[in-house]
């Protein structure tokens, strides 16, 4: 079978993404805190809901920082031109 079609691994060989296992954990934590905050607001506990929304901002910021830090550490910075 001499097909000339390249393998998928060969096509994407030069651009392998590094995965940080903490990023999906942070995303799930963000979703969990957001859900708890919305439920709290719906039940009428606006004080707890406000605290949870502030916690969501912190967790979401930490997740984004992990993503940017991982990209920077492995040299995959999107804001610089690669030559």
């Amino acid at each position: 079978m001499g097909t000339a079609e390249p393998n998928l691994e060969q096509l994407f060989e030069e651009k392998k993404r590094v995965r940080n296992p903490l990023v999906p954990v942070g995303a799930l934590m963000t979703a969990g805190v957001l859900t708890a905050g919305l439920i709290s607001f719906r039940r009428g506990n606006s004080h707890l809901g406000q605290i949870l929304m502030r916690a969501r901002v912190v967790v979401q910021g930490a997740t984004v920082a992990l993503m940017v830090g991982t990209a920077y550490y492995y040299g995959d910075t999107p804001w610089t031109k690669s030559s």
Side-chain angles (χ1 to χ4, degrees):
M1 302 214 172
T3 61
E5 292 182 23
N7 190 350
L8 276 179
E9 287 295 320
Q10 291 171 344
L11 284 175
F12 298 108
E13 188 172 343
E14 64 186 58
K15 193 67 175 173
K16 294 227 182 221
R17 291 190 174 253
V18 177
R19 302 199 188 278
N20 187 339
L22 295 177
V23 171
V25 171
L28 288 174
M29 286 176 61
T30 301
V33 173
L34 174 64
T35 303
L38 291 175
I39 290 170
S40 179
F41 276 129
R42 189 164 181 98
R43 290 187 178 165
N45 192 351
S46 61
H47 180 67
L48 178 61
Q50 188 66 29
I51 291 172
L52 288 169
M53 287 299 137
R54 289 178 185 164
R56 177 199 53 91
V57 170
V58 171
V59 173
Q60 189 172 356
T63 303
V64 170
L66 274 172
M67 291 167 35
V68 171
T70 301
Y72 182 77
Y73 181 77
Y74 288 103
D76 192 20
T77 52
W79 52 84
T80 60
K81 279 190 163 186
S82 58
S83 33

